[in-house]
Amino acid sequence: GAGVSQSPSNKVTEKGKDVELRCDPISGHTALYWYRQSLGQGLEFLIYFQGNSAPDKSGLPSDRFSAERTGGSVSTLTIQRTQQEDSAVYLCASTQGSGEKLFFGSGTQLSVL
Amino acid sequence: GIQVEQSPPDLILQEGANSTLRCNFSDSVNNLQWFHQNPWGQLINLFYIPSGTKQNGRLSATTVATERYSLLYISSSQTTDSGVYFCAWRSYRGSTLGRLYFGRGTQLTVWP
């Protein structure tokens, strides 16, 4: 695709429900990142994929968070039993390689009521 | 752990003024990028600049890898330059290989 696509753009859910966030990276980009940004804050690293494997999962805040990537393309970030502190903008980014620019999607605004 | 420090944290300018934003790193630089987050939240990649100097219109960036810092210059600032500027450093070794570390950003406000 022309850019990194994320869906949904907005998600409102009730505490305790599970949510899935989707990221479709730029075609041909092998590396994919998930970050989280709370209101007025910086970017918190969650997980990084190189191809379909995730060499660095240490940023996931708890075992309620998981992510996968299939076919070296689309990635899904799943949050189980959502809590109010999970409310944030979840950002996905992709890059063609280690020496290349990183491109971000528009993010998913998650609100947990 | 790796530290990425940005300064100043906040900057307020009159339209037309010039400014310099700084990013310091605690480890050697091999992959350094600058981003602008506009008031609507979209992050735009401004520069990939592991070393040397690059220019793009009114913006330019310089990275001095041996001294572990990078500078972003904004000349003749415009109101559309407002937003948060982030720098990011990519780890190239160990268990964090590939991870990008972001600074806390510089909030720039340009008044007409």
Side-chain angles (χ1 to χ4, degrees), chain A residues 74-89:
Chain A
V74 173
S75 176
T76 303
L77 177 68
T78 301
I79 309 173
Q80 296 178 310
R81 305 181 301 282
T82 51
Q83 304 293 314
Q84 289 182 334
E85 61 263 28
D86 299 334
S87 296
V89 176

Side-chain angles (χ1 to χ4, degrees), chain B residues 31-109:
Chain B
N31 182 316
L32 189 290
Q33 304 187 41
W34 283 96
F35 297 85
H36 174 223
Q37 187 169 39
N38 65 25
W40 297 272
Q42 179 65 49
L43 277 152
I44 304 298
N45 193 305
L46 299 175
F47 293 102
Y48 166 72
I49 184 165
S51 64
T53 298
K54 288 187 178 179
Q55 180 144 13
N56 184 2
R58 294 181 297 103
L59 274 60
S60 66
T62 295
T63 296
V64 183
T66 54
E67 298 187 22
R68 302 181 182 181
Y69 74 88
S70 184
L71 302 174
L72 178 69
Y73 304 95
I74 305 174
S75 64
S76 303
S77 57
Q78 300 177 358
T79 56
T80 51
D81 294 332
S82 295
V84 183
Y85 290 81
F86 292 100
C87 61
W89 174 93
R90 181 179 168 130
S91 173
Y92 58 97
R93 54 184 168 198
S95 61
T96 61
L97 174 67
R99 182 190 291 206
L100 270 92
Y101 292 86
F102 281 79
R104 298 179 67 84
T106 292
Q107 173 75 58
L108 175 65
T109 304

